[in-house]
Amino acid sequence: MPETVDLLPLAVVIPLIGAVLLTLGGRLLPRPAIDALATAFAVLSTAELALLWARAGDGRVVSWAGGWTVHGGRSVGIVLVGDRLGIGMALLAAALILAALVYSWQYFDEPPRGHGGTFPALLLLFEAGMCGFALTGDLFDAFVFFELMGVVAYALTGYRIEDPRPLHGALTFGVVNSLAAYCSLLGIGLLYARTGELGMAQTGAALAGHHADALIVTAFVLVMASMLVKSATVPFHFWLPDAHAVAPSPVCMLMSGVMVELGVYGTARIYRTVFAGAGGVPAAAFTHTMAALGVLTALVGAVMCWQQRHLKRLLAFSTIAHTGLYLLGVSLLTSEATAGTALYVAGHAGVKAALFGLVGVLLDRHGSVDEHGLHGRSRDTPVQGGLFLLGGLALAGLPPFGTALGKAVAEHAAGGYAGWLPAVYVLVSAVTGGAVLRAGLRIFAGAGPVPTRSHSDNETSGEGEEPEVRDPRRPVPLVMTAVPAALLAAGLAVGVWPGVGRALAGGARAFEDRTGYLAQVRGLPAPALPHPLPETAWTLPGVLLGLLSTVLAVALAGAAVWLPGRAGAAVRAARAGAGAADRRLVLPLRRLHSGLLGDYLTWLTVGLAVLLVAVGTQM
């Protein structure tokens, strides 16, 4: 099917061409023409990937750049490999880029003449990096695309160059991620020295002829460094809330909606294709280590999410918490867990991007993203308030949203590994969803007493933010409400449209078929898929657990909003207990998020050392 294969390079080429034209055209074209041109390229890219998704089916397609295919089991060419999950990640990136571009039509100040194409060009370049990473079948090219994505993300984070805070956030983001990238490049070098190959399939096949030793363990940990840092896995996560707090809201939509998830995708893809066979890292070592990291990340993210009043940081820690659940899912190495995680990612992307878009509306109108300072100030925007609360319910796992379906499938698979793991899914969803509902009730309904202002050094208020528009008093542009509404509708469609679950189930089966991947990329006959499609339909236990996490989220939000105004012995005792827990457990955790680059680099080093010991002792 040559027409299908030829579509793979276009996933990278189209946004690259768009970025070049916007960079050149930005010097000549007015703002509306630039927006129209950028949107046209985003639509074209999304349509191309949707067509590729439809044509790929439940298998995979392979494209060799320049026809440099495998000869005698070896290759020097650049290969792109697309299956339903890889193409799906690229399609998700393209769709969110389109949403961010439309959202940004009237979001930023009018740029100086000659620079109007900079922001949309960076977004399309960002898309090219994400699509290339999702589709590459080569380790070195994965590094190149990942770093292209990262460099553009640094520039987008510090886009407001006149404000020192975005520059600081971008610097922290860039230094931490770049150091991790150097570690990954060193790991790729070790693998090349051992196997003489850079292709994922060829490297995985070559490792089967070697004995697993300290070099393989070291290479695994080093290669995973960039993936775990980009996915904000604890203790490599410190950069993410600092970057989200200062990045423009459309950029936050992309970083939390798809960029972080690509780190988890890369972790699973590289392990499956390179390290999963004989001569690599045993499945038990990968599962035990990554599942432990996933649970730790989910719980730390949930606790820190609940503590925030800065809305962007609140949503950023929510992303960290859910990323932990994704890492837990892919660590189980089963088709059911992978399918559930893919559904979870798809549903979460729309919901989280919508919430960041709605926070951008608050910043547009009030010049603040502080939950306490905004108490009751948006009572006159019931539409945005309703969407914000609906996003909180979806984040909590309310059926029939895609977040609830993905959570249900993934937690069922996790329950087969350890019976207590579904409780982690329920708890994390309830706490993160409850934090969003708490903020929504206070800001859009003026519920509860006005929160007591805190001036703690360990708390970021979110007040005094620079508006990202020329006139914060203007009416909210229609697209800034329409885009979040469309994103929430997309998150709902993931849960109610059976075709999405079935397609991702087929993609998960192909993703877990390492033998078929290695054979097809190396030009050998691919064996038949060995097992049936995993079940991704709604089940009664899944619905009930989704309702349970939603009820808990509502209860937590209600208690946080209304209990402070109540009196009574029980309430005073609860406050005293919460205060003691905060001082002993939460406050030390909050102090670790110091904002100091040296601290974050120390934790990166410690985390890699612990990971090396954890994997090495299980070999």
Side-chain angles (χ1 to χ4, degrees):
M1 44 186 177
E3 70 276 13
T4 302
V5 173
D6 290 341
L7 290 175
L8 276 172
L10 291 179
V12 180
V13 171
I14 290 174
L16 282 178
I17 293 176
V20 172
L21 292 179
L22 284 166
T23 301
L24 298 176
R27 302 178 180 277
L28 304 172
L29 298 175
R31 172 72 177 271
I34 291 171
D35 289 339
L37 181 62
T39 305
F41 271 97
V43 170
L44 179 61
S45 181
T46 304
E48 185 268 338
L49 283 162
L51 179 61
L52 181 59
W53 159 277
R55 290 185 176 180
D58 291 342
R60 61 185 67 85
V61 290
V62 179
S63 175
W64 287 91
W68 290 86
T69 57
V70 176
H71 292 281
R74 307 182 75 85
S75 70
V76 295
I78 296 174
V79 62
L80 298 176
V81 185
D83 56 25
R84 274 277 170 82
L85 293 195
I87 298 170
M89 290 300 299
L91 178 57
L92 180 63
L96 287 183
I97 288 287
L98 175 58
L101 281 170
V102 175
Y103 181 89
S104 304
W105 281 351
Q106 296 175 285
Y107 191 63
F108 287 106
D109 296 342
E110 190 72 23
R113 184 165 181 81
H115 298 278
T118 302
F119 184 76
L122 286 172
L123 289 186
L124 290 179
L125 197 58
F126 195 28
E127 178 186 346
M130 291 190 287
C131 291
F133 179 77
L135 298 175
T136 186
D138 184 275
L139 278 172
F140 184 75
D141 291 325
F143 165 79
V144 171
F145 282 123
F146 215 43
E147 287 315 293
L148 171 62
M149 175 175 63
V151 168
V152 178
Y154 313 152
L156 288 169
T157 299
Y159 186 74
R160 288 291 183 180
I161 194 170
E162 68 278 3
D163 188 343
R165 290 175 297 178
L167 291 180
H168 181 269
L171 179 64
T172 301
F173 183 6
V175 171
V176 173
N177 280 262
S178 295
L179 182 59
Y182 300 148
C183 292
S184 291
L185 187 60
L186 178 58
I188 293 170
L190 291 176
L191 289 175
Y192 183 70
R194 171 62 60 89
T195 65
E197 294 284 357
L198 288 173
M200 294 184 191
Q202 297 89 317
T203 303
L207 284 180
H210 295 275
H211 176 69
D213 54 17
L215 184 146
I216 298 301
V217 175
T218 303
F220 171 76
V221 171
L222 290 174
V223 171
M224 288 299 153
S226 187
M227 308 301 146
L228 295 175
V229 169
K230 199 77 79 186
S231 64
T233 299
V234 174
F236 312 108
H237 69 289
F238 293 97
W239 64 270
L240 186 137
D242 291 350
H244 276 63
V246 297
S249 298
V251 177
C252 294
M253 294 166 64
L254 299 171
M255 290 199 295
S256 268
V258 65
M259 187 194 76
V260 171
E261 288 77 2
L262 277 169
V264 178
Y265 169 83
T267 300
R269 174 68 80 186
I270 291 174
Y271 174 75
R272 265 294 178 192
T273 54
V274 177
F275 293 101
V281 176
F286 178 82
T287 297
H288 296 336
T289 303
M290 294 301 165
L293 282 177
V295 172
L296 177 64
T297 302
L299 295 178
V300 169
V303 170
M304 289 300 298
C305 173
W306 185 260
Q307 301 298 315
Q308 304 305 309
R309 54 188 278 198
H310 189 295
L311 294 179
K312 284 188 175 183
R313 294 179 69 87
L314 184 152
L315 294 176
F317 278 110
S318 168
T319 297
I320 292 172
H322 286 272
T323 300
L325 297 181
Y326 305 152
L327 185 61
L328 171 59
V330 300
S331 73
L332 301 179
L333 302 178
T334 66
S335 295
E336 183 185 17
T338 301
T341 302
L343 279 166
Y344 209 162
V345 168
H348 175 269
V351 172
K352 184 57 64 67
L355 288 170
F356 269 114
L358 293 167
V359 169
V361 173
L362 293 173
L363 186 56
D364 180 3
R365 298 190 69 220
H366 305 293
S368 173
V369 289
D370 183 69
E371 176 187 338
H372 294 182
L374 290 173
H375 184 272
R377 292 177 62 185
S378 284
R379 290 190 185 97
D380 59 337
T381 56
V383 174
Q384 288 89 349
L387 291 174
F388 195 88
L389 293 174
L390 189 61
L393 292 172
L395 206 62
L398 175 67
F401 277 94
T403 46
L405 179 58
K407 181 175 79 70
V409 177
E411 67 191 2
H412 179 267
Y417 175 73
W420 55 272
L421 284 178
V424 176
Y425 282 85
V426 171
L427 178 63
V428 170
S429 299
V431 173
T432 55
V436 173
L437 291 174
R438 179 196 70 200
L441 289 171
R442 283 176 171 163
I443 294 169
F444 294 98
V450 178
T452 303
R453 298 296 182 94
S454 171
H455 301 284
S456 169
D457 292 337
N458 298 294
E459 187 171 1
T460 305
S461 71
E463 293 182 324
E465 296 289 333
E466 288 293 330
E468 293 164 344
V469 293
R470 183 171 46 201
D471 183 6
R473 297 168 296 179
R474 68 174 183 175
V476 176
L478 177 61
V479 292
M480 291 179 63
T481 301
V483 168
L487 289 168
L488 285 174
L492 179 63
V494 172
V496 301
W497 186 12
V500 176
R502 194 263 171 223
L504 291 178
R509 182 174 65 174
F511 188 86
E512 297 295 325
D513 179 27
R514 180 177 187 268
T515 302
Y517 183 101
L518 266 60
Q520 191 168 349
V521 174
R522 296 165 66 213
L524 304 174
L529 293 173
H531 48 79
L533 288 177
E535 184 59 54
T536 55
W538 288 101
T539 62
L540 181 59
V543 171
L544 293 178
L545 286 175
L547 292 174
L548 173 60
S549 59
T550 304
V551 170
L552 288 175
V554 173
L556 287 170
V561 169
W562 283 291
L563 274 185
R566 304 274 181 175
V571 174
R572 288 194 296 270
R575 288 177 189 162
D582 183 77
R583 289 189 299 272
R584 295 175 183 175
L585 300 177
V586 178
L587 186 58
L589 182 61
R590 290 166 68 176
R591 285 174 173 165
L592 291 178
H593 299 78
S594 62
L596 300 177
L597 179 58
D599 291 350
Y600 296 173
L601 294 178
T602 299
W603 278 108
L604 171 62
T605 306
V606 170
L608 290 177
V610 171
L611 187 61
L612 183 63
V613 172
V615 176
T617 55
Q618 298 180 72
M619 294 292 289

